[in-house]
Amino acid sequence: MKAVFVKKEGGVEVRDVDIPKIREGELLVKMKACGIDGTDLEKAFGKPVTPPMLGHEVVGEVVESRSPKFKVGDRVFVHHHVFCGKCYYCYRGNYTMCPLFLKTTIDPCGLAEFFRVPKTNVQRGGVLKLPSNLDWDEATFIEPAACVLKALRRIGFQAGDTVSLIGVGPTGSLFIKLLKNFGATLISVSDLSDFRLEIAKKIGADITVNPSQADFVELCKKATDGIGVDIGILGTPTMKPLQTLLQIVRKGGKICIFGAPEKGEEAKLDFSYLFINEISIITSYSTSEVEITTILELMKNRRISFNEIITHKYKLSDAEEAFETARNASRSLKVVIENE
Ligand SMILES: [Zn+2]
Ligand SMILES: [Zn+2]
């Protein structure tokens, strides 16, 4: 079968590998659709801090089951990471910090014709049946949308908050969708790609700014009567725009670091400014079934939909081209890979 891997010299390649054999308690799933996200691009082209497996926004059909919980033909979402529920971190609600979390994965990866789901993932609730009204492509948004929901919860977002977002890539666009749905009173976004800003406007951003053409800080200040926004979200892997967000966020406001920074990424911070203005900086990494089940309910009940964020679909054998398209912010947003 075909599966996609990161090449030593960078980039990705499609390789022929054996279909994994499953053991007691495990599932073999035929991939139906899988989203490419920022961390996949970082694995392929950058200096990643996340594990090397490609494709974690994956849905598919069970083709072999050795678990009583699932049968052949079940349409499922599979989460590659699960938490133990009984360690120091889990007891305190930091599920993505659980030691089990990064040890769990799917085999060989989500960007494969078939993949094996280990017993731990099946047992710990990492496999969820998809409602019949959700198509394969849209279901790939379950994981990234859950990551966004977790970030909004960590930062304490409330209806009525004003928000500025730097970077409206695929995940930034999900922020717009959820913020609009949850009652943000202002969503202002900045990105260097006019293509992406155009879509941002369509899906609900109130102010869209290309910082090479207009002053994002000034426009956000003006829109909030000079006060600044309640929440700033950094959706880029680089920390450079952090300085911009610090000028936009109000006293007592919060900044969420969401885009996965590259290894060793540093930023200069004026701590006296943070201190006297009580500005909090909060990071958010990944998601767990806590948010995934909520997102699934929201999607099932048609409270939210994400299909307009998809700009390209590729077959698995064209993964190389798909990755090149996905990294080109000037002409793509969400790229989804489908099975042959
Ligand atoms: Zn745990
Ligand atoms: Zn993701």
Side-chain angles (χ1 to χ4, degrees):
M1 66 161 190
K2 294 187 187 79
V4 187
F5 299 94
V6 177
K7 283 192 286 191
K8 252 206 204 102
E9 64 273 28
V12 302
E13 65 184 354
V14 182
R15 264 188 244 153
D16 245 312
V17 294
D18 291 337
I19 295 177
K21 290 190 175 45
I22 64 165
R23 295 182 289 259
E24 194 52 42
E26 298 186 333
L27 304 174
L28 186 69
V29 175
K30 181 178 187 187
M31 183 271 273
K32 284 291 183 176
C34 184
I36 297 179
D37 95 336
T39 55
D40 289 317
L41 294 176
E42 210 171 72
K43 284 165 195 174
F45 305 110
K47 287 177 268 171
V49 285
T50 47
M53 186 207 84
L54 290 175
H56 58 271
E57 301 172 353
V58 65
V59 289
E61 191 180 304
V62 175
V63 289
E64 193 184 342
S65 171
R66 294 191 63 187
S67 157
K69 286 163 96 179
F70 297 93
K71 59 179 194 313
V72 171
D74 279 346
R75 300 169 78 240
V76 290
F77 160 82
V78 180
H79 195 204
H80 59 314
H81 293 325
V82 288
F83 58 89
C84 78
K86 53 188 180 192
C87 72
Y88 187 93
Y89 302 98
C90 286
Y91 283 163
R92 281 154 185 81
N94 296 120
Y95 305 111
T96 58
M97 298 296 112
C98 171
L100 181 68
F101 198 74
L102 284 183
K103 279 187 205 140
T104 48
T105 188
I106 50 176
D107 167 35
C109 61
L111 284 176
E113 281 182 72
F114 300 91
F115 58 90
R116 178 180 66 89
V117 186
K119 190 178 175 180
T120 317
N121 296 56
V122 179
Q123 275 179 336
R124 303 255 14 124
V127 186
L128 296 167
K129 285 181 193 164
L130 291 175
S132 56
N133 64 349
L134 215 56
D135 68 47
W136 294 117
D137 291 335
E138 184 155 32
T140 61
F141 285 106
I142 294 170
E143 195 270 350
C147 290
V148 169
L149 175 61
K150 172 165 171 272
L152 292 178
R153 284 178 172 171
R154 268 178 72 75
I155 202 156
F157 169 81
Q158 291 181 312
D161 279 350
T162 54
V163 184
S164 286
L165 167 65
I166 295 184
V168 282
T171 320
S173 307
L174 294 177
F175 268 106
I176 298 174
K177 278 278 185 181
L178 263 64
L179 285 167
K180 185 147 177 89
N181 203 275
F182 296 167
T185 47
L186 174 76
I187 306 170
S188 57
V189 306
S190 153
D191 199 290
L192 287 166
S193 161
D194 288 325
F195 178 84
R196 291 182 168 186
L197 288 172
E198 195 68 39
I199 298 175
K201 184 126 229 163
K202 243 186 260 168
I203 61 174
D206 303 295
I207 298 174
T208 55
V209 174
N210 186 327
S212 68
Q213 290 152 23
D215 190 337
F216 189 48
V217 177
E218 199 186 299
L219 287 164
C220 292
K221 285 272 188 188
K222 212 173 128 197
T224 53
D225 297 328
I227 291 172
V229 298
D230 301 307
I231 289 174
I233 298 163
L234 187 55
T236 64
T238 165
M239 289 300 111
K240 281 185 200 109
L242 185 56
Q243 299 304 334
T244 307
L245 278 183
L246 282 167
Q247 293 172 63
I248 293 172
V249 167
R250 69 164 170 87
K251 292 168 188 276
K254 291 175 272 190
I255 292 176
C256 179
I257 306 290
F258 187 84
E262 286 195 341
K263 209 171 200 153
E265 180 75 16
E266 291 178 354
K268 220 173 140 192
L269 287 173
D270 178 351
F271 280 89
S272 71
Y273 180 82
L274 295 183
F275 178 79
I276 206 75
N277 292 297
E278 281 198 340
I279 290 175
S280 314
I281 296 180
I282 297 163
T283 61
S284 187
Y285 162 67
S286 197
T287 182
S288 71
E289 279 55 53
V290 176
E291 298 84 24
I292 285 170
T293 47
T294 305
I295 287 293
L296 197 54
E297 283 301 308
L298 286 168
M299 291 174 81
K300 183 174 101 186
N301 295 312
R302 290 284 154 212
R303 293 293 183 270
I304 196 156
S305 65
F306 302 113
N307 270 338
E308 46 210 313
I309 296 172
I310 301 174
T311 56
H312 295 79
K313 295 175 187 179
Y314 286 93
K315 293 290 175 204
L316 189 64
S317 45
D318 299 323
E320 242 186 287
E321 198 189 331
F323 270 73
E324 286 303 330
T325 301
R327 79 192 288 208
N328 188 342
S330 67
R331 62 178 184 91
S332 78
L333 194 53
K334 191 67 178 181
V335 176
V336 172
I337 292 189
E338 296 170 337
N339 213 328
E340 300 304 305

